[in-house]
Amino acid sequence: MPVINFKYSDLCTMLGEEVPQQTLVDRIPMIGADMHETEGECDDMSVEFFPDRPDLYSVEGLARAMRAFLDIKPGMKTYDVGESDIEVFVDESVKKVRPYFCCGAVLDVDIDDEFLRSIMEMQEKLHITIGRKRSKLAIGIHDLDKVNPPFTYRLADPHSIRFVPLAKTEEMDMQEILEKHEKGVDYAHLLEGYDRYPVIQDRYGNVLSFPPIINGALTTVTTGKHNLFIDVTGNDLKAVKGALDIVSTALAERGGKIMTVIMHDDGKTYRSPDLTPSEMDISASECDKFLGTNLGPSGTVEALRRMGMDAVADGDNVHVTIPPVRLDIMHKVDIFEDVGTGYGFEKFGGSYSLRQTPGSLDPITTFSENIRDIMVGLGFMEVTTLTLSNDRDEFEISGLPRMDNVRVLNPITEDHTCLRSYLTPSLVKILRHNKHRDLPQRIFEVGNVVRDTKVQAHLCAMVTASKTSFTEIKSITEAVLRELGCTYELRPLSLPTFIEGRGAEIVFDGKSIGMFGEMAPAVVVGYEITHPIIFLEIDLEPIVAKRKDTLF
């Protein structure tokens, strides 16, 4: 989870009042964070935030949230947004590489070392989390005073543009950056397969950024008072806009003035950023039922204002105004969660119920455990095999009746193209891999097969030895069924799997639930085995369904 580091004194300055450090240590975790150990009288603090709150990935965002949460200034923080004459043109060519582009300006930002470190940390945290390591979005923050609008976002030939990338002193073209620059090497895969790369340039062709790889050294942000330009490119419009809103408002928390720019994109003209809040209606009674509280409409409004939202109650209906930086709010349940957080999770709970509610194993699990004991008692060794198989092993070699099995859409190997319909082929493959071991070999598996898209539990037992017989496997089968307390009937079964006249099916409650017998020599040779094999396979589901109330 993202960790932000900041100074206690800096946070208090942004809160507008001095809050005891221990109060912050106790209260910050209540909004969804893990407070790292803070030594007494130490100005350095560290907080690990849950990944669903990217608006808190900076001390500026944390201060905004805590002002509301500590009732210093509850409700939604609004920002004055001015209009600039800066124009940005988005070329149609970028739509096939990184189609979404949002940007804005923040003027008169007074930057010291702490703030500069906070900006860089926030940018990197957003890249890693909602940016999915820049594959979903990438952010650039530039010194606006060093370039000249209008700006253009377009694709360019990798060798046609040369500029000095951030943290370097020599010019490189875009292809050289991908091959030689540390960031270029790290993120070159994001542009793999494209013959032209995105670039953001000013009126005179100066490069602001080569997204999503690196910014130009020309617009490096330093300490002092600056006008800043922010660009966000990516493949998800909601994430791109949200990242711009988070960065812009964080800069505004330090006294900067947010200014919109004029975007010319896809034949449309509009202003960015757009900090219009979203709205949602919830039922206070439904929220109380969901949380197990009794807050009512007024209590719900109070809790939401403590979470930095505005809310108005009209009877049971609560109209909620959601800040644009809250990318985590997608459903009314997210609002319910914020009500619980604003109310205080420490207030939940009560006396523990004395009623015991012990769990129990599923009947098929209990049944399977007893079968394992039976098989071990009969001298078999348990194995576990893969549920994945292939048609050749399942049906073509085995001679077993073909099933309409579940297919793997994009199999990695030809051995794993479907889900198995029988356990028998899986156990034969175990014998094939162990044919150099001493005989006899007696193995079994209680495992799942998939038939008609339904998972069924089967038992399969198999013996290979220098001499085997139908009588032996019949005795084993009857011993298993007897131990299970089943009333059954045996009938002859003719399949290519068995030697003619040496195969049988098991009938339970009028239905065929399994088979046993001597495996046909052609099948044995097909599986590359050199000794005879006898086996049984039983579907356990009908037995469990019949006797679920009387199992062991």
Side-chain angles (χ1 to χ4, degrees):
M1 295 189 292
V3 177
I4 70 166
N5 305 288
F6 55 93
K7 300 288 187 183
Y8 162 66
S9 55
D10 189 32
L11 178 58
C12 286
T13 300
M14 300 196 64
L15 288 173
E17 63 180 64
E18 187 168 338
V19 178
Q21 190 174 30
Q22 189 58 47
T23 300
L24 293 173
V25 170
D26 293 339
R27 298 299 295 161
I28 288 176
M30 295 301 173
I31 63 174
D34 181 16
M35 196 78 204
H36 286 205
E37 185 175 350
T38 301
E39 298 179 3
E41 305 303 323
C42 179
D43 198 37
D44 293 319
M45 300 183 72
S46 182
V47 183
E48 187 172 5
F49 280 105
F50 295 167
D52 63 336
R53 290 293 303 272
D55 59 304
L56 301 180
Y57 291 173
S58 66
V59 65
E60 294 79 23
L62 174 60
R64 175 178 54 217
M66 292 307 294
R67 278 197 299 268
F69 194 64
L70 297 175
D71 289 321
I72 297 172
K73 289 184 180 179
M76 187 178 71
K77 172 68 180 291
T78 58
Y79 300 89
D80 294 329
V81 180
E83 294 184 355
S84 75
D85 58 359
I86 299 172
E87 292 186 285
V88 180
F89 293 88
V90 181
D91 191 87
E92 183 67 24
S93 61
V94 298
K95 299 302 180 182
K96 62 181 181 181
V97 180
R98 292 181 77 82
Y100 299 112
F101 183 47
C102 291
C103 51
V106 182
L107 307 183
D108 300 325
V109 184
D110 198 358
I111 302 174
D112 58 16
D113 287 332
E114 284 298 324
F115 185 25
L116 184 59
R117 189 178 300 110
S118 177
I119 293 172
M120 295 172 62
E121 191 174 75
M122 171 180 58
Q123 184 179 4
E124 193 57 32
K125 295 292 186 296
L126 291 173
H127 279 159
I128 294 171
T129 54
I130 62 173
R132 299 293 188 270
K133 296 184 178 179
R134 306 194 189 187
S135 63
K136 195 172 182 179
L137 65 85
I139 304 164
I141 303 175
H142 312 275
D143 188 338
L144 182 59
D145 299 324
K146 295 179 181 178
V147 286
N148 298 276
F151 303 116
T152 303
Y153 175 47
R154 65 185 182 91
L155 293 187
D157 183 272
H159 302 290
S160 65
I161 294 177
R162 298 183 63 84
F163 67 99
V164 180
L166 197 65
K168 297 294 181 182
T169 56
E170 62 181 57
E171 281 192 350
M172 300 181 186
D173 66 31
M174 292 190 286
Q175 190 61 47
E176 288 176 326
I177 290 173
L178 296 184
E179 295 170 355
K180 298 178 181 179
H181 196 285
E182 298 83 7
K183 295 296 184 184
V185 173
D186 288 344
Y187 298 108
H189 65 279
L190 298 177
L191 296 176
E192 189 174 346
Y194 297 108
D195 57 0
R196 293 193 298 162
Y197 301 151
V199 64
I200 302 171
Q201 296 173 286
D202 75 350
R203 176 192 299 271
Y204 301 111
N206 296 310
V207 173
L208 283 74
S209 180
F210 168 23
I213 310 301
I214 193 73
N215 290 338
L218 174 65
T219 57
T220 301
V221 177
T222 58
T223 56
K225 199 160 192 175
H226 297 282
N227 298 319
L228 302 180
F229 179 75
I230 308 155
D231 77 78
V232 188
T233 64
N235 298 306
D236 183 303
L237 181 59
K238 180 181 178 182
V240 168
K241 180 186 180 303
L244 176 63
D245 295 344
I246 290 170
V247 175
S248 299
T249 54
L251 296 175
E253 287 289 331
R254 294 285 186 173
K257 171 69 173 177
I258 299 176
M259 304 293 288
T260 61
V261 301
I262 305 168
M263 301 287 298
H264 300 279
D265 184 7
D266 199 21
K268 301 176 183 177
T269 300
Y270 57 91
R271 286 192 170 269
S272 172
D274 180 1
L275 297 183
T276 304
S278 57
E279 299 177 342
M280 188 181 297
D281 290 324
I282 65 167
S283 163
S285 58
E286 183 184 2
C287 181
D288 277 335
K289 182 178 180 181
F290 184 87
L291 295 174
T293 56
N294 190 28
L295 297 176
S298 60
T300 301
V301 168
E302 182 182 350
L304 287 170
R305 285 180 55 78
R306 197 172 289 123
M307 292 303 293
M309 301 184 187
D310 280 342
V312 178
D314 182 9
D316 184 59
N317 184 73
V318 177
H319 184 73
V320 187
T321 305
I322 306 162
V325 296
R326 289 297 303 274
L327 305 186
D328 58 309
I329 304 296
M330 295 178 284
H331 189 273
K332 64 181 179 181
V333 171
D334 299 315
I335 299 292
F336 295 169
E337 181 184 4
D338 263 30
V339 172
T341 306
Y343 170 64
F345 286 119
E346 71 278 7
K347 299 176 184 177
F348 284 80
S351 59
Y352 290 103
S353 172
L354 297 178
R355 293 175 58 190
Q356 294 185 358
T357 56
S360 62
L361 294 175
D362 186 89
I364 191 65
T365 303
T366 303
F367 196 54
S368 299
E369 290 299 321
N370 283 278
I371 289 175
R372 289 184 173 93
D373 290 340
I374 293 170
M375 298 308 299
V376 170
L378 290 172
F380 284 80
M381 178 182 293
E382 185 176 12
V383 297
T384 302
T385 59
L386 289 175
T387 309
L388 288 170
S389 186
N390 60 83
D391 287 343
R392 182 173 181 273
D393 287 334
E394 286 288 300
F395 311 117
E396 295 174 15
I397 299 177
S398 70
L400 294 169
R402 182 173 288 274
M403 300 284 180
D404 186 14
N405 55 6
V406 176
R407 315 296 303 174
V408 177
L409 185 60
N410 295 303
I412 296 176
T413 72
E414 61 182 13
D415 293 330
H416 301 144
T417 59
C418 65
L419 298 183
R420 66 187 177 189
S421 302
Y422 300 93
L423 292 181
T424 297
S426 298
L427 267 67
V428 177
K429 285 188 282 186
I430 293 289
L431 297 182
R432 182 172 64 196
H433 291 305
N434 290 274
K435 61 185 178 182
H436 59 289
R437 302 290 183 181
D438 293 340
L439 298 178
Q441 295 177 20
R442 300 165 66 88
I443 60 175
F444 81 95
E445 180 176 10
V446 179
N448 291 330
V449 301
V450 181
R451 295 184 175 184
D452 297 325
T453 69
K454 295 180 180 179
V455 178
Q456 300 177 4
H458 276 210
L459 163 67
C460 182
M462 192 168 290
V463 178
T464 182
S466 57
K467 290 184 179 181
T468 59
S469 67
F470 178 80
T471 302
E472 181 182 357
I473 192 61
K474 179 175 181 290
S475 298
I476 294 169
T477 304
E478 290 182 325
V480 172
L481 295 172
R482 181 176 63 250
E483 291 295 324
L484 295 178
C486 294
T487 301
Y488 60 91
E489 180 184 352
L490 303 181
R491 297 176 183 171
L493 179 63
S494 179
L495 285 176
T497 310
F498 300 115
I499 297 174
E500 185 62 34
R502 299 185 190 180
E505 66 175 339
I506 306 163
V507 179
F508 173 77
D509 199 27
K511 297 179 181 178
S512 176
I513 64 167
M515 57 187 171
F516 65 90
E518 288 186 68
M519 190 172 287
V523 177
V524 173
V525 172
Y527 283 116
E528 301 175 13
I529 308 294
T530 55
H531 292 87
I533 296 173
I534 54 176
F535 75 95
L536 68 89
E537 182 160 348
I538 302 173
D539 181 1
L540 302 176
E541 302 285 347
I543 303 175
V544 175
K546 183 74 173 179
R547 305 184 59 243
K548 62 182 178 181
D549 297 325
T550 59
L551 289 176
F552 303 96

